[in-house]
DNA sequence: CGTGTTGTCGTCAACCTGACGATAAACAGC
DNA sequence: GCTGTTTATCGTCAGGTTGACGACAACACG
């Protein structure tokens, strides 16, 4: 911590939050991107974000931006800090430190462009990673996706992609989309129902058209998966 | 990301780095603390840290502070970003965002007090967590220790606490100190030598006084432990 | 009523884990 | 040298977990 705080003594920074908002659409992992309407990087796609307000904590700023950019008042799912990025030349005009957040949400409505964005859209993560993004957002996005992949192994976070009630198969499709690899339905069912406290059986069923109806579950209160679901 | 950058438009922040520097001394986990020589929190113990310079990246600032506060030019071991803390009232005089870093290092010399610190010392982590610290440093320290505990499970980071060449027993004592739990020497030896690429046998031995001499190893190039060493 | 599709339960060999016995290689004291 | 002590390393074994895959159940559709 600094010990001298003469306001003339410290270099001023701008602090922003950037959001990696992941969701599942059509069994594929998507990320929310906005098209920049102003320089620098006008016309480029970027992660949504904005300034931290003077009397606002970092988490609060991320939650506010998440609501603003998705157009949903209380976004269900999960929000956690990812990392901070502060290369001196990451923004050509001033010194900016960006605190990135990772959000995992169930399928949300199509976004509308914000005040200073030319457009907003859900983009498949594979496409977004291949596309050139503004600032250092390609790296931020890659870090966010890797964090999500890792966290599915040992945390119950996959359920954040699902609605309040969900089936084991829906949960499995989350894992398959995030890890990009098919999983054996039988082994997945065994492991996931075997973790005590992970799933709460609602007693009800859901038929989705074809096939045998599946049992509906709700999230349990467990915070760590023991043992983890290895992706090898 | 912000889209409008009128300098009159964004609230200025001070950005600092705080360091959680962990090391092993006498088979116990220690953290580097400094005694504050100025208000606020004058006389309180705090994590070392300081302002990020205008033309310096975050990682570079953390590395610079680490060298300054330990008095060692190129600190061996490991340095990674931990998290950022930016509650609006975490500093009574101005808006500060602190980017915390976690450093793991082998036993280092006794620190000397820096320019604006009244003192500096290695403190047992248990004592430091029980002691009241300046700012929100108690939480930062707790987060750092928890990160270290978790990372030992699935990463080869424990070797960062050891010298260049080390024995399996030294590595085990790292785990025991960080996890606060004794481990079975035989099972630990089996698992750790079984991970391909984790340890490189130097072919040499070291006798440390009592007992049979142990084989000396160097860090391998593996980045992830498969399977992990569970702490249960 | 068959057929296809999806969900759930069982089985089995391979592997891994933790508990712990046994042996190897040094030192200290006599 | 001999004996006990300490530390390192190798083996053994029962119990649990994993991945591969067979079997069956419960629905929709024609």
């Amino acid at each position: 911590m600094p010990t001298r705080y003469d306001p003339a003594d410290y270099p001023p920074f701008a602090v922003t939050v950037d959001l990696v908002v992941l969701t599942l659409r059509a069994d594929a992992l998507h990320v929310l991107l906005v098209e920049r309407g102003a320089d620098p990087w006008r016309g480029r796609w970027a992660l949504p974000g904005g300034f931290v307000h003077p009397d606002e904590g970092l988490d609060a700023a991320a939650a506010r931006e998440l609501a603003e950019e998705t157009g949903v008042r209380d976004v269900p799912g999960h929000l956690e800090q990812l990392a901070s990025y502060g290369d001196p030349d990451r923004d050509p005009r001033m010194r900016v430190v960006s605190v990135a957040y990772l959000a995992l949400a169930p399928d949300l409505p199509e976004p509308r462009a914000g005040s200073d964005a030319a457009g907003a859209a859900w983009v498949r993560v594979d496409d977004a990673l291949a596309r050139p993004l503004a600032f250092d957002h390609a790296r931020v996005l890659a870090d966010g996706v890797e964090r999500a992949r890792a966290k599915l192994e040992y945390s119950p976070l996959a359920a954040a992609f699902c609605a309040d009630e969900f089936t084991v198969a829906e949960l499995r499709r989350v894992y398959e989309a995030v890890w990009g690899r098919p999983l054996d339905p039988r082994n997945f069912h065994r492991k996931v129902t075997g973790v005590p406290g992970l799933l709460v059986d609602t007693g009800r069923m859901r038929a989705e058209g074809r096939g045998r109806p599946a049992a509906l579950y709700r999230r349990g209160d467990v915070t760590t998966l023991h043992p983890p679901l290895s992706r090898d």
Side-chain angles (χ1 to χ4, degrees), chain A:
Chain A
M1 280 305 306
T3 47
R4 291 185 301 160
Y5 274 106
D6 181 351
D9 207 30
Y10 74 94
F13 285 70
V15 176
T16 63
V17 292
D18 286 336
L19 298 176
V20 178
V21 189
L22 301 180
T23 196
L24 224 64
R25 293 170 74 87
D27 287 347
L29 195 62
H30 284 65
V31 61
L32 180 62
L33 293 184
V34 299
E35 190 183 0
R36 289 183 55 78
D39 277 328
W41 307 103
R42 180 197 291 265
R44 272 283 173 91
W45 289 84
L47 297 174
F51 285 115
V52 177
H53 292 177
D55 290 315
E56 185 183 51
L58 301 176
D59 292 358
R64 173 179 54 75
E65 287 288 343
L66 180 59
E68 285 177 16
E69 304 277 359
T70 59
V72 178
R73 188 183 302 267
D74 276 305
V75 179
H78 175 79
L79 180 63
E80 70 175 37
Q81 198 186 102
L82 179 57
S84 295
Y85 302 83
D87 277 355
D89 50 0
R90 69 185 294 277
D91 189 298
R93 284 154 313 168
M94 66 175 59
R95 190 64 205 273
V96 178
V97 165
S98 168
V99 184
Y101 277 76
L102 174 65
L104 310 181
D107 199 356
L108 295 176
E110 208 63 40
R112 30 159 210 156
S115 56
D116 30 45
W122 294 107
V123 179
R124 297 178 72 107
V125 163
D126 301 336
D127 297 346
L129 284 170
R131 189 183 297 192
L133 298 182
F135 304 104
D136 51 5
H137 287 184
R139 178 160 159 238
V140 180
L141 173 58
D143 290 351
V145 171
E146 179 49 37
R147 168 84 65 95
R149 289 194 172 127
K151 274 218 145 184
L152 288 212
E153 287 195 41
Y154 57 90
S155 84
L157 264 176
F161 286 106
C162 298
D164 204 52
E165 297 190 340
F166 54 90
T167 67
V168 173
E170 284 169 358
L171 195 63
R172 175 168 48 83
R173 278 186 275 274
V174 170
Y175 277 89
E176 292 177 332
V178 176
W179 287 350
R181 190 166 66 81
L183 298 176
D184 185 296
R186 300 158 290 190
N187 291 335
F188 183 83
H189 189 277
R190 177 186 8 121
K191 290 177 81 162
V192 118
T193 55
V195 179
L198 176 60
L199 298 178
V200 180
D201 195 336
T202 65
R204 276 175 301 123
M205 298 280 192
R206 179 160 70 203
E208 293 180 82
R210 294 180 301 273
R212 173 176 167 175
L216 276 175
Y217 294 90
R218 209 188 305 276
R219 302 178 240 289
D221 53 3
V222 81
T223 60
T224 317
L225 262 48
H226 261 301
L229 283 80
S230 69
R231 55 176 156 156
D232 277 74

